[in-house]
Every structure is written in structure tokens, then in C-alpha cells.
Amino acid sequence: MTIAQWSDDFKTGEEEIDKEHWGLFAQINDLSDKLSQGAAESSVVSTLDALVVYVEVHFEHEERLMEETGYPDLESHKKAHRALDLRVAEFQDAFLRSPETFDYDALMEFLSNWLHQHILKLDMDFAAYHK
């Protein structure tokens, strides 16, 4: 089930960042599919783990680019990244503790909202600065 639809609205103009953002959409939709279709717990756990690693690599890349360009809002952007890291870890822990009562809808709503708000506001602010 697609919960986050990629469109050109999410393109920042930075090719590598755009590819990584597209990858985030793909991974989140893959996780949504697995959760909604009742995939095995091990499959969901491995998908969550892969998403966490992918996000870490993307954030490192994005922050390095911001450092290289002297982006003045780098620290607040880093804080937004760390907030996502913490919230996803909370969801991951909740799933591991009790997969049968896990709030799938809350996770998907959070991830979808975060993608839209973060990319369309914070990442676009950086894209405008970078250009």
C-alpha cells in the first residue's frame, strides 16, 4: 500500500539527494506493504533496520553537503534529523516489544508526514540556498 507518493515536487535539484529521497519513499512504502500484508516479524524487522541505516547514510550525506556549502541553518537541520532518528527508534522498540499490538497506522502517518514536511520545507530551504 503506497503511503508516500513520489512526485517532482520533492526534487531539490541536487541529483544525489533526490535519488536518496526517492529511495526513502520506496523503503517506507515497502515497510507499509509488509506491515499491511502481515509479513513475518523477521521481514518487518529487517526492513525497519534497513530503513534506519538508509536514513543515517542519507542524513550524513545531506549534512556533509550543507557543511561544504556553509549552510547557516545546519544545526537546526541536524536537530530535525536527530529527532527523526529518535522517533523511529521508539517505533522500532515498540514493534520489537509487542509486534501484535504495534500501532502500524501511527508509524505510517508519522513517516509520511515527516517526509512531506521535512523535504518540502527544510530540504527545499537548503536547496534554495545551495542554488
Side-chain angles (χ1 to χ4, degrees):
M1 176 171 82
T2 300
I3 63 143
Q5 185 66 44
W6 174 262
S7 74
D8 285 349
D9 293 342
F10 294 99
K11 287 186 175 180
T12 64
E14 180 64 37
E15 187 176 348
E16 286 302 310
I17 297 295
D18 290 341
K19 285 179 186 176
E20 291 171 6
H21 284 165
W22 182 90
L24 286 172
F25 276 76
Q27 288 205 335
I28 288 169
N29 286 323
D30 182 42
L31 178 61
S32 175
D33 288 344
K34 287 182 179 176
L35 288 168
S36 67
Q37 295 168 3
E41 183 179 333
S42 61
S43 179
V44 173
V45 169
S46 67
T47 303
L48 270 169
D49 290 346
L51 176 62
V52 167
V53 169
Y54 190 91
V55 166
E56 288 174 5
V57 170
H58 167 65
F59 285 172
E60 288 173 11
H61 180 219
E62 199 172 79
E63 291 170 8
R64 185 173 54 251
L65 183 59
M66 290 177 179
E67 285 177 13
E68 290 170 359
T69 61
Y71 186 54
D73 289 331
L74 173 60
E75 289 309 312
S76 65
H77 206 104
K78 283 182 175 181
K79 284 180 185 176
H81 286 168
R82 298 302 80 79
L84 171 75
D85 290 341
L86 290 173
R87 189 68 180 118
V88 169
E90 290 170 0
F91 278 113
Q92 193 173 25
D93 289 343
F95 181 81
L96 292 172
R97 278 193 314 275
S98 183
E100 61 280 350
T101 61
F102 181 72
D103 191 348
Y104 154 79
D105 291 332
L107 173 61
M108 291 299 104
E109 182 178 348
F110 170 76
L111 290 173
S112 178
N113 288 339
W114 187 87
L115 270 179
H116 287 82
Q117 293 170 6
H118 187 83
I119 294 173
L120 294 176
K121 173 63 178 130
L122 296 179
D123 287 348
M124 289 304 178
D125 287 349
F126 171 66
Y129 172 84
H130 189 251
K131 288 179 185 175

